[in-house]
Amino acid sequence: MPAVLASRLSGLESRFRIWTIASTMVPTMGALGLQLVTFALTARGLGVEQFGRYTALLAVVAVGVEAIGMGGADLLVRAVSRNKEAFGIYYGNMLLGIAVTLPVAVVAGTLVAAGILRVELALPFIALALFAEIGLARVSASTELAMVAHAQTARAGWVRVATVVARLVAALLFFIVWKRHALDEWIVCLSLQSVAMMAFYAWLGARLYGAPRWVLLGREMKSGFLFCANQGARAMQSNLDRMVLSRFADDYSLGVYGAASRILQLGLFPMQVMTRIFYPKFFQHGANGMAASRAYALRVAPALFGAGVLSGAMVACAALLAPHVLGRDFAGSVEVTAGLALSLPFIALQYPAADALTGAGRQGIRAVIYGVAAVGFGFVLVAGVWLKGVPGLIGAFVFAQFLLAAILWGAAFRCKDVPDAMAPANTIYVDEGK
């Protein structure tokens, strides 16, 4: 009997990476708990109206994070998952890509926040907040992906813990020890913390896996742009709800909705952890064509869908604590969070279908889908707000996530292999002369 049980457990690990997921979840769940504490401190410390302005900035940040770096982190995962010797040149390419594109994202984001979203904050503080939040999020996520590329997903989870702990310490000092509550002063505090963490992560990657080789891989620009476009469009689609609401609602309503949205984002982490474990495998299966990549997506989809259902239930339950943890001003976020939680199973189903396209070298199709979805998503959300306000926005958000999942799976089954499409995905540069 023990031998049979061991065999079955081994089969589950081989198919769904059960133990790998469990070991990765330990630091991730710890990070979620700490992040919830940090979120509560920030919301209570700033108050509902200032937190509403901060929410609008964070929506811009979420898009900017994926729009910078020229896809360098994804290129690194693709390369290193197939050839570990490629790390140095792809790591240097990734860091240079971040350095070149971060200022552009800050300028563009500042114009959007001040001009379109009408965030009531001085321009220098908007720019400083975007620089700090976008830069740290991009560098920390890229460091995690460097570890994922080396099949060290548990270690990657501890990077997230370190990021959350550093922000928690900053929040404790600012709101509790120093008893400060102004949004502009908080932005200065978090910018100092972010710069220190960015420098630390850049050093950590080099210390663990090798020094970067400072060169931009011009021949990889097209693939990198497609990766970047994919993630940027997805981030736009995922954050348009707060952008739309910031344009059509007051700071109080945005603060309540922003709190609900932050709670919902906590439910995304388990799925994101699982996706990062599966992600390198899609490139390995995808090297054999679209059918092999799609077959792997079908294998992992049930586990991701189950995680989405469980996360949705947990988020809905956690919402009941919002008035007690965040304060009575945030009581309206309970129903909003419960409604948004219905979208999590549909979001979970989007990951394997989208990664199947990318793994097989069809990231161009994926980019088109997310680009069109981002535009269509905006119209759906605006219509929802106009018809029924916040409840209409919630319904539109859930429907749009379901529709996107259906479109991605339809594309995964409809796409065929194109002779030249696989060449870029299988070309790995390990030195400047190649």
Side-chain angles (χ1 to χ4, degrees), residues 121-207:
L121 195 65
L123 287 179
F125 289 107
I126 293 176
L128 187 59
L130 294 180
F131 171 80
E133 296 281 18
I134 293 174
L136 178 57
R138 180 68 273 162
V139 173
S140 62
S142 298
T143 303
E144 289 184 51
L145 285 175
M147 295 174 178
V148 168
H150 288 85
Q152 296 174 340
T153 51
R155 174 181 281 179
W158 289 107
V159 171
R160 180 161 294 174
V161 172
T163 303
V164 174
V165 168
R167 182 55 56 85
L168 175 58
V169 170
L172 286 171
L173 289 173
F174 185 81
F175 295 114
I176 304 300
V177 178
W178 299 330
K179 299 185 185 303
R180 311 300 295 180
H181 302 283
L183 178 56
D184 52 359
E185 294 177 352
W186 168 240
I187 287 172
V188 173
C189 179
L190 68 86
S191 67
L192 295 174
Q193 176 255 320
S194 296
V195 169
M197 292 300 292
M198 281 189 275
F200 170 72
Y201 285 138
W203 169 83
L204 182 63
R207 177 69 176 82

Side-chain angles (χ1 to χ4, degrees), residues 9-24 148 151-153 274 276-281 284 296 299-300 303:
L9 290 175
S10 178
L12 287 173
E13 170 65 11
S14 175
R15 184 174 182 181
F16 295 117
R17 309 292 298 277
I18 298 296
W19 300 122
T20 303
I21 292 172
S23 63
T24 306
V148 168
Q152 296 174 340
T153 51
M274 296 173 68
R276 287 193 171 183
I277 293 171
F278 300 142
Y279 189 50
K281 294 289 185 180
Q284 296 170 9
Y296 184 66
R299 285 173 55 189
V300 302

Side-chain angles (χ1 to χ4, degrees), residues 30-333:
L32 287 178
L34 295 174
Q35 189 173 46
L36 183 58
V37 174
T38 306
F39 158 58
L41 282 173
T42 306
R44 290 183 72 99
L46 293 177
V48 66
E49 293 190 358
Q50 284 194 122
F51 186 74
R53 300 185 195 110
Y54 189 44
T55 294
L57 288 178
L58 291 178
V60 177
V61 167
V63 177
V65 168
E66 303 299 345
I68 71 169
M70 299 186 290
D74 292 281
L75 291 173
L76 185 147
V77 173
R78 189 185 69 185
V80 176
S81 66
R82 297 172 179 174
N83 180 3
K84 297 295 189 292
E85 295 180 2
F87 176 79
I89 193 168
Y90 279 86
Y91 189 52
N93 177 71
M94 181 190 80
L95 293 178
L96 281 176
I98 294 173
V100 169
T101 54
L102 178 56
V104 178
V106 170
V107 172
T110 301
L111 294 175
V112 170
I116 299 177
L117 305 185
R118 298 180 181 176
V119 177
E120 295 181 4
L121 195 65
L123 287 179
F125 289 107
I126 293 176
L128 187 59
L130 294 180
F131 171 80
E133 296 281 18
I134 293 174
L136 178 57
R138 180 68 273 162
V139 173
S140 62
S142 298
T143 303
E144 289 184 51
L145 285 175
M147 295 174 178
V148 168
H150 288 85
Q152 296 174 340
T153 51
R155 174 181 281 179
W158 289 107
V159 171
R160 180 161 294 174
V161 172
T163 303
V164 174
V165 168
R167 182 55 56 85
L168 175 58
V169 170
L172 286 171
L173 289 173
F174 185 81
F175 295 114
I176 304 300
V177 178
W178 299 330
K179 299 185 185 303
R180 311 300 295 180
H181 302 283
L183 178 56
D184 52 359
E185 294 177 352
W186 168 240
I187 287 172
V188 173
C189 179
L190 68 86
S191 67
L192 295 174
Q193 176 255 320
S194 296
V195 169
M197 292 300 292
M198 281 189 275
F200 170 72
Y201 285 138
W203 169 83
L204 182 63
R207 177 69 176 82
L208 291 175
Y209 307 116
R213 297 180 59 185
W214 302 105
V215 58
L216 284 173
L217 297 173
R219 289 164 292 187
E220 292 276 46
M221 287 293 185
K222 180 180 179 181
S223 294
F225 172 77
L226 291 175
F227 280 122
C228 191
N230 287 331
Q231 302 300 334
R234 180 178 179 83
M236 175 67 76
Q237 173 256 334
S238 298
N239 291 275
L240 267 175
D241 53 342
R242 278 154 287 165
M243 292 184 179
V244 169
L245 199 61
S246 70
R247 186 65 177 81
F248 294 100
D250 55 37
D251 287 339
Y252 177 83
S253 298
L254 182 58
V256 169
Y257 189 90
S261 182
R262 288 297 295 271
I263 297 173
L264 180 74
Q265 288 177 355
L266 297 178
L268 294 174
F269 279 123
M271 292 177 283
Q272 290 171 347
V273 169
M274 296 173 68
T275 300
R276 287 193 171 183
I277 293 171
F278 300 142
Y279 189 50
K281 294 289 185 180
F282 277 102
F283 291 113
Q284 296 170 9
H285 288 278
N288 297 317
M290 189 66 223
S293 188
R294 181 173 57 243
Y296 184 66
L298 290 170
R299 285 173 55 189
V300 302
L304 280 164
F305 180 74
V309 172
L310 182 60
S311 294
M314 293 176 63
V315 164
C317 292
L320 298 174
L321 301 175
H324 306 286
V325 176
L326 305 181
R328 293 182 180 180
D329 288 343
F330 289 90
S333 64

Side-chain angles (χ1 to χ4, degrees), residues 285-296 353 356-362 411-417 422:
H285 288 278
N288 297 317
M290 189 66 223
S293 188
R294 181 173 57 243
Y296 184 66
L357 294 170
T358 296
R362 305 308 302 272
F413 276 94
R414 294 281 297 177
C415 277
K416 306 292 183 182
D417 291 330
M422 296 303 296

